Amino acid sequence: MPLNIVHDKDGLPRIILTEPTGSSAESFWKPPKAIRGGIPVCFPQFGNLGLLEQHGFARNRFWSLDEDASPLPPANNQSTVDLILKSTEEDIKAWPRGFELRLRISISPGKLTLIPRVRNVDNKAFSFMFALRNYLSVSDISEVRVEGLETLDYFDYLMNKERFTEQADAITFDGEIDRVYLSTPTKIAIIDHEKKRTFELRKDGMPDSVVWNPWDKKAKALPDMGVDGYKTMLCVDSAAIENPIVLKPFEEWRGRQELSTVSSSYCSGQLDPRRVLHGFH
């Protein structure tokens, strides 16, 4: 089946993925700035940890359809798309490395799967950071808790990247937060009490997790956030930040992220979050 590609009034293309039970996903771009929402791809830099623009250049570039996603099996349905970003002359001026960045996006009932890959097509080794910045829609940030990151070390970006150890049983929110948690588990639960819904984040190849909410003062300074936008969003990212990924010539790195939802009544004690974290049996 051909991909469902539509064009906005300004001529920019959008890809719309659908699956039989009604889930959908779409990819679009509004130059010249990255979109505040969705799942921006941070490459080859996270945040301001380097000399490039914030979060690197990948999220601000036009990607192409990838006609050859091997060794992944071919995608021949309307619920999967393969995209590719190759280094351009402009990129090489800022970051002189030859690379191919691929991303497979697939939707299935209640699940969104992303498989990023980076190939070194240069004649020398290079290293890079990577993150999938997951903007999650929540009912009320003060009613959300994140489980799976307790007892872990993190860098606190509100405290000059000082390293701390998480002491709470779960992360809850009553103010701004901007942290990079280190050596995190492959499964994290984001529990939304009011919506009675739990996001289950599964990841591989991206050992770090970023938790971010700008809260009221910084949200006012973000023109694309809205004054109260911080109340209904939370970023929980899959990332490789503390230890950048190193690739020798013609080596390839592969990551994987699955984001799914389970309807829950956790606020009434009927859902044990440990079952979300460690799987249902």
Side-chain angles (χ1 to χ4, degrees):
M1 282 187 194
L3 280 171
N4 184 9
I5 301 176
V6 299
H7 289 80
D8 292 331
K9 58 184 178 181
D10 52 11
L12 294 175
R14 274 191 299 143
I15 298 170
I16 301 177
L17 302 181
T18 57
E19 56 86 25
T21 66
S23 299
S24 65
E26 58 183 90
S27 173
F28 60 98
W29 189 63
K30 292 182 179 179
K33 294 185 177 180
I35 295 168
R36 176 83 58 191
I39 309 179
V41 176
C42 304
F43 170 88
Q45 172 184 304
F46 182 81
N48 60 1
L49 300 176
L51 300 177
L52 301 174
E53 59 197 88
Q54 177 85 354
H55 292 316
F57 48 70
R59 64 182 186 150
N60 292 324
R61 295 289 187 269
F62 273 119
W63 295 51
S64 303
L65 292 174
D66 188 3
E67 303 296 340
D68 180 14
S70 60
L72 298 181
N76 55 1
N77 56 63
Q78 291 188 321
S79 61
T80 299
V81 65
D82 289 299
L83 302 174
I84 186 169
L85 180 70
K86 295 182 179 180
S87 48
T88 64
E89 288 185 11
E90 181 183 358
D91 298 332
I92 289 175
K93 287 179 183 176
W95 196 66
R97 288 97 172 156
F99 69 88
E100 293 177 350
L101 169 55
R102 288 178 163 85
L103 181 66
R104 168 165 287 193
I105 307 168
S106 301
I107 59 170
S108 55
K111 182 185 292 185
L112 175 64
T113 302
L114 287 84
I115 302 176
R117 293 182 290 153
V118 177
R119 173 172 282 269
N120 182 348
V121 295
D122 213 320
N123 58 9
K124 58 183 181 296
F126 64 71
S127 63
F128 62 92
M129 300 178 192
F130 190 90
L132 295 173
R133 193 143 181 81
N134 301 301
Y135 279 80
L136 304 177
S137 173
V138 299
S139 57
D140 181 345
I141 187 63
S142 63
E143 296 294 325
V144 172
R145 58 192 285 130
V146 177
E147 303 206 353
L149 303 177
E150 51 274 9
T151 75
L152 299 181
D153 284 2
Y154 64 87
F155 292 121
D156 193 334
Y157 277 49
L158 303 181
M159 301 285 288
N160 295 317
K161 303 183 182 71
E162 192 173 341
R163 187 167 181 148
F164 296 93
T165 300
E166 182 59 64
Q167 302 295 328
D169 292 335
I171 301 170
T172 56
F173 305 93
D174 58 6
E176 183 184 359
I177 186 170
D178 191 358
R179 299 174 181 174
V180 177
Y181 286 83
L182 310 174
S183 302
T184 60
T186 57
K187 287 179 275 187
I188 298 168
I190 301 98
I191 302 160
D192 189 334
H193 295 294
E194 192 168 313
K195 281 191 177 179
K196 296 184 172 140
R197 179 180 68 183
T198 295
F199 288 106
E200 179 182 306
L201 178 64
R202 295 171 178 253
K203 59 189 179 62
D204 184 58
M206 294 172 279
D208 304 322
S209 296
V210 183
V211 180
W212 177 72
N213 183 292
W215 219 250
D216 54 352
K217 289 183 180 179
K218 284 196 177 169
K220 291 177 183 177
L222 299 172
D224 50 1
M225 172 66 75
V227 175
D228 293 326
Y230 76 94
K231 294 179 180 179
T232 55
M233 60 77 61
L234 176 66
C235 279
V236 181
D237 308 345
S238 302
I241 299 172
E242 182 189 25
N243 297 307
I245 298 158
V246 179
L247 289 180
K248 296 176 182 177
F250 305 107
E251 282 188 335
E252 183 175 276
W253 165 84
R254 182 191 298 191
R256 183 182 181 93
Q257 174 183 282
E258 294 180 0
L259 187 61
S260 57
T261 60
V262 293
S263 178
S264 69
S265 299
Y266 175 66
C267 57
S268 60
Q270 296 176 22
L271 175 68
D272 182 349
R274 290 172 296 183
R275 296 179 69 205
V276 176
L277 289 171
H278 303 297
F280 292 87
H281 300 287

